[in-house]
Amino acid sequence: MTLKNLPFLFLLFGIVNLNIYAQDNLNKKLKDTISFSEDNSQKVIEFGQMIETIIHESDGDSFITKLNKDKFFDRVLSDYSKLDREDSYIKGFLIGMNNALKSFPNEIISDVENGAYYDFINYRYDTESQTYYALFRLYSSETGMNYHDYRLVKNDGEIQFSDMYIYLTGEHFTSTIGRLMQYTVPKNSVVESQIKNPETKDLYKAFIYNKNGNYEKAYKIMDGFKSELSKEKFLLIFKTLIAAQIDESKYLESLEDLINTFPDDQTIALNKVDYYIYKEEYYEAIQVVNQLQNETEDDFLNFFKAGIAFEDKNYDLALNLYTYTIDNYPDFFEGQSGYLCTLVMMKNYEGSTKYLDRLLTEGFEKEDLIEYIEEEDEFGENMFDGYSKSKHFADWKKTK
């Protein structure tokens, strides 16, 4: 579950001039609300199913039509009621952001085309913000897990979204865009007068270094902050993501700093799980996943608990959780692989052979399964080593 790659929203760093700072405030009423009703709940379900289909059909244009850009821009600029939108700088920013949003869904689509999963999980009505949220899970074996919680709005009877809470950053997307605007604000502009921290200029350099792959330079800047910026959650998370590109020690250090600064913050659950797995504190990792599962009501997280139990050599628990995964997600091969690998680690070779027969009945080719069992990874290791050399497997290969 390690976070080795930056999530899609960071690809917007440096694409547009993002030059105004805006903190998120869910209590603000920007008229992007929906009243609770049975009819609206049904429309929200249909919206979630439609977004999932749009992403899996690689239809970025249709995705953008579901974003209410007016409400989105209002939320980005919500802390700056005195700003003149006719100001040349503000107009330029809005034009640039509008252009950037056209490619907004492409990273999700690209991930899905490369094997990632993007699934509508459920919805809820948030009484504080007086609107619906629709929760989506983004999962890839390469990039790990993230959740996108779409804030919904009704426009002429149609459900759209005006924002997105991103679990990996611990804040709404408009807040992220708002703070990034601060880092490139023109010198001596009307906006700059509202910015009090001179270190924001260095932050922009860090984003540029990161965008260009100069992770060491980016990390050095982030690690050198001494002001209140050094304790901002978003920036601490960003620092961990940069550190993950460098080495494990810096990554663990950064995660530890984040967790110690926000010990009771539920929004950094994904970061905490990664930290505990690296530290081999598997019980703590499962407890955090349990909390996340209670919050999201996402039973797919049983797959992650299975992986943690497997690392902890608690194979009985791992097998039970993998069993749940393959029963409820029959087309998810990583669950099937985890189940088979657990049987092998338990030296249950007879059970392993029976499961291979089951996979054959589910449409797998025998040649593909043989290759999968016998192949070595990039380090010359084979997780099925004991079974691949066993008589059970040799006999199975001979059967027709």
Side-chain angles (χ1 to χ4, degrees), residues 335-352:
Q336 297 164 329
S337 174
Y339 180 84
L340 181 60
C341 194
T342 304
L343 288 173
V344 169
M345 295 304 294
M346 297 173 80
K347 300 191 183 304
N348 185 351
Y349 295 163
E350 182 178 351
S352 301

Side-chain angles (χ1 to χ4, degrees), residues 108-355:
I108 307 175
I109 289 172
S110 177
D111 282 347
V112 170
E113 289 175 344
N114 287 311
Y117 297 83
Y118 198 68
D119 299 303
F120 172 50
I121 306 303
N122 52 45
Y123 72 92
R124 76 183 194 282
Y125 189 81
D126 190 298
T127 54
E128 185 177 4
S129 51
Q130 298 180 14
T131 196
Y132 286 88
Y133 278 80
L135 183 67
F136 290 75
R137 179 204 321 115
L138 175 63
Y139 170 73
S140 162
S141 59
E142 296 297 320
T143 59
M145 173 80 86
N146 199 357
Y147 288 98
H148 299 158
D149 208 12
Y150 290 63
R151 180 185 174 115
L152 304 184
V153 62
K154 212 171 188 180
N155 183 32
D156 294 330
E158 179 189 1
I159 300 293
Q160 296 179 314
F161 71 100
S162 62
D163 209 343
M164 179 192 293
Y165 186 90
I166 299 175
Y167 273 54
L168 196 53
T169 64
E171 65 181 13
H172 282 74
F173 192 29
T174 54
S175 289
T176 303
I177 296 297
R179 70 170 67 249
L180 295 176
M181 287 188 286
Q182 178 190 14
Y183 308 150
T184 56
V185 62
K187 192 172 182 179
N188 300 322
S189 72
V190 64
V191 182
E192 188 186 40
S193 64
Q194 301 185 45
I195 297 172
K196 299 177 181 179
N197 197 324
E199 285 185 332
T200 56
K201 290 297 180 183
D202 290 329
L203 273 172
Y204 179 63
K205 292 179 184 177
F207 293 134
I208 293 298
Y209 283 138
N210 174 71
K211 183 174 182 292
N212 294 332
N214 295 322
Y215 303 119
E216 291 279 4
K217 290 182 177 180
Y219 181 85
K220 185 176 180 180
I221 290 175
M222 300 295 294
D223 197 43
F225 290 138
K226 304 300 180 187
S227 70
E228 65 271 17
L229 283 176
S230 66
K231 298 302 178 184
E232 279 201 24
K233 180 172 63 175
F234 169 80
L235 296 175
L236 284 172
I237 290 173
F238 181 53
K239 181 181 170 184
T240 68
L241 294 169
I242 295 172
Q245 312 302 312
I246 302 173
D247 61 51
E248 187 174 302
S249 63
K250 283 187 172 63
Y251 183 50
L252 282 174
E253 224 175 86
S254 300
L255 281 173
E256 201 162 55
D257 193 14
L258 171 66
I259 292 168
N260 288 339
T261 305
F262 300 95
D264 302 316
D265 194 326
Q266 295 302 314
T267 66
I268 61 171
L270 294 171
N271 310 85
K272 284 184 177 179
V273 172
D274 228 24
Y275 175 75
Y276 288 134
I277 289 175
Y278 267 108
K279 297 284 287 184
E280 298 183 358
E281 297 174 2
Y282 301 115
Y283 174 81
E284 289 79 1
I286 284 185
Q287 294 310 303
V288 175
V289 177
N290 283 336
Q291 294 169 7
L292 185 61
Q293 192 166 9
N294 289 335
E295 179 185 338
T296 62
E297 299 180 355
D298 184 11
D299 66 350
F300 182 78
L301 287 168
N302 285 317
F303 166 68
F304 279 94
K305 289 192 287 187
I308 295 168
F310 182 90
E311 290 296 320
D312 195 25
K313 296 182 172 55
N314 188 346
Y315 298 126
D316 288 329
L317 176 59
L319 195 66
N320 287 335
L321 291 166
Y322 278 131
T323 299
Y324 181 93
T325 302
I326 62 178
D327 287 346
N328 290 274
Y329 297 87
D331 298 324
F332 181 56
F333 183 68
E334 288 182 52
Q336 297 164 329
S337 174
Y339 180 84
L340 181 60
C341 194
T342 304
L343 288 173
V344 169
M345 295 304 294
M346 297 173 80
K347 300 191 183 304
N348 185 351
Y349 295 163
E350 182 178 351
S352 301
T353 301
K354 288 180 179 178
Y355 190 61

